[in-house]
Amino acid sequence: MKTRIKELRKARRISQDELALAVGVTRQTIISLEKEKYLASLPLAYRISHYFGLTIEEVFDFSELEEF
């Protein structure tokens, strides 16, 4: 699943560690999300989008999932 996490994080000049700490996950989880190797759970997607002040749909691209 494509995300805007890296773009949003860089725009705010925060590190992967800072974001991970803020949303309660490890840096490795943030790396995996940015590389699209991991799908965020709904609670994690909510925490990340809430951190950036955006909706889940503004952070995560669900278009690939709509094909099912």
Side-chain angles (χ1 to χ4, degrees):
M1 172 185 312
K2 295 186 189 314
T3 75
R4 294 180 54 214
I5 295 171
K6 187 173 185 177
E7 167 194 341
L8 295 166
R9 185 177 57 74
K10 289 195 175 267
R12 294 204 179 178
R13 296 183 175 161
I14 61 169
S15 68
Q16 291 168 329
D17 285 319
E18 290 170 311
L19 178 58
L21 182 63
V23 299
V25 297
T26 65
R27 179 175 169 260
Q28 188 61 43
T29 299
I30 300 300
I31 291 168
S32 295
L33 287 167
E34 289 183 354
K35 290 184 175 186
E36 301 172 16
K37 299 203 181 259
Y38 174 74
L39 293 175
S41 65
L42 185 55
L44 177 55
Y46 174 79
R47 290 194 309 269
I48 292 170
S49 61
H50 183 73
Y51 177 83
F52 289 113
L54 300 170
T55 66
I56 291 174
E57 292 82 4
E58 290 173 309
V59 179
F60 296 88
D61 179 2
F62 294 98
S63 62
E64 292 176 1
L65 299 176
E66 292 173 359
E67 296 174 4
F68 294 106

